[in-house]
Amino acid sequence: MKRLAAFCLAIALSLLPLGGCQGEPTQKRYEYQFFDTFDTLVQIVGYTHTPEEFEDYAQLAHNRFVELHNMYDKFESHPGVNGIAAINLAAGTAPVKAEAEVLDLLEFCTQWQQKTGDMVEITLGPVITIWQEYLARYHLDYDDAQLPPTAQLEAAAALCAPEYLQIDRAAGTVFLTQEGAALDVGAVAKGFATELVASELQAAGWESFSISSGGNVRTCGEPLSDTTTTWSVGIQDPFANAVLASQDQLLDVLFVNDQSVVTSGDYQRFYMVGDQRIHHIIDPATLFPATHYRSVTVVTPHSGMADFLSTALFVMDYEEGRALADEYDVGVLWVFPDGTVQANDTILPLLRDRGGATNKR
Ligand code: AMP
Ligand code: MG
């Protein structure tokens, strides 16, 4: 069920390169997808001279996604990998010598946490785990739609604090100093991994491709199409039926090159308790799902930053969020519970419907 939701999201937000070539292009468009990492569908679209060349790049990407998934997975320890699961298991006991990509991700998170007032707090693991258990219970039995007791959330919150995370770069170790503490990098790992893979593909020589990992989209170069100048990325309408979501139900379309587009939404993983929508983005101040918006979409080149900021902005109130977007010059589109939409000046010119953008050659 969780996978189905992620799949629907990926379809709704999938890349929409408007192919169709007049004349013979020197490079052709190919597609590849897989479903075995980050609990979501990863789609790669790109242009190469031959199918073999595309296959090589796509395989490289797939292999790297598997490696990064194994490092960033909190649910399962993978043989030979010292990642998030191993660090959580050793909480309160011993530092773990972690992979370089794990140290990079955790340092990236702590830097951005400090810049954004701990709205995204990767040490919130014990609290997030409770909400995930209640969501899982609901998926096992749709009549079992419950809220966790506040006392349980508060007891878990006592185990959550940024100070409990110690990263020793020189030693290459990570230590959760408090027994019962746990990392959850769900707010950023997929985007960070997508950025790593995209930069490695570029370093390998690929000039024109797009990766969508469950709606975290990273575009590199421009599409080598005769008809379009930019990649198209649909923004899902949070008020549309997710299962039936199609291109007609998009809120708008972004035309971008060399940018990432990431959306955090309350419709991605949720259940209902009465008329309360219990979704997967938790406000650390209340320990309950954040309620300011239906969705927040971020456009900025670095996919890890886009992923981090979409979650952080989802938790922040509008004034604070708008100031943060200005400070870091990121494009943001907010959809409010009453259906109103706000788009800042950075994102507006990139939007097809609201900004009049076009990608026709
Ligand atoms: P995203 O879909 O990128 O907005 O990330 C949502 C995921 O981030 C959730 O499924 C949790 O794993 C995690 N998460 C939710 N709320 C927070 C928070 N306030 N701080 C850190 N991680 C969070
Ligand atoms: Mg995120």
Side-chain angles (χ1 to χ4, degrees), residues 340-360:
T340 47
V341 174
Q342 289 285 351
N344 72 357
D345 293 344
T346 308
I347 204 170
L348 200 59
L350 307 172
L351 290 165
R352 183 190 65 189
D353 303 338
R354 287 171 178 75
T358 174
N359 71 342
K360 302 270 181 297

Side-chain angles (χ1 to χ4, degrees), residues 187 264 307 310-311:
S264 288
D307 197 2
S310 72
T311 312

Side-chain angles (χ1 to χ4, degrees), residues 74 113 118-124 128 132 184-188 190 216 262-265 268-269 280-284 307-308 310-312 314-315:
K74 81 163 184 179
Q113 251 176 248
D118 289 328
M119 297 291 169
V120 166
E121 192 185 309
I122 55 169
T123 45
L124 207 60
I128 291 169
Q132 287 170 339
D184 184 304
V185 290
V188 63
K190 211 164 22 137
N216 276 246
V262 177
T263 296
S264 288
Q268 295 169 337
R269 280 174 191 181
H280 70 318
I281 303 170
I282 306 305
D283 182 342
D307 197 2
F308 187 99
S310 72
T311 312
F314 193 96
V315 180

Side-chain angles (χ1 to χ4, degrees), residues 7-14 16 234-253 352:
F7 179 75
C8 294
L9 170 72
I11 291 295
L13 285 180
S14 69
L16 310 164
I235 301 174
Q236 186 170 338
D237 181 352
F239 292 92
N241 183 326
V243 177
L244 302 175
S246 70
Q247 289 189 31
D248 311 337
Q249 293 177 300
L250 294 174
L251 189 72
D252 211 323
V253 175
R352 183 190 65 189

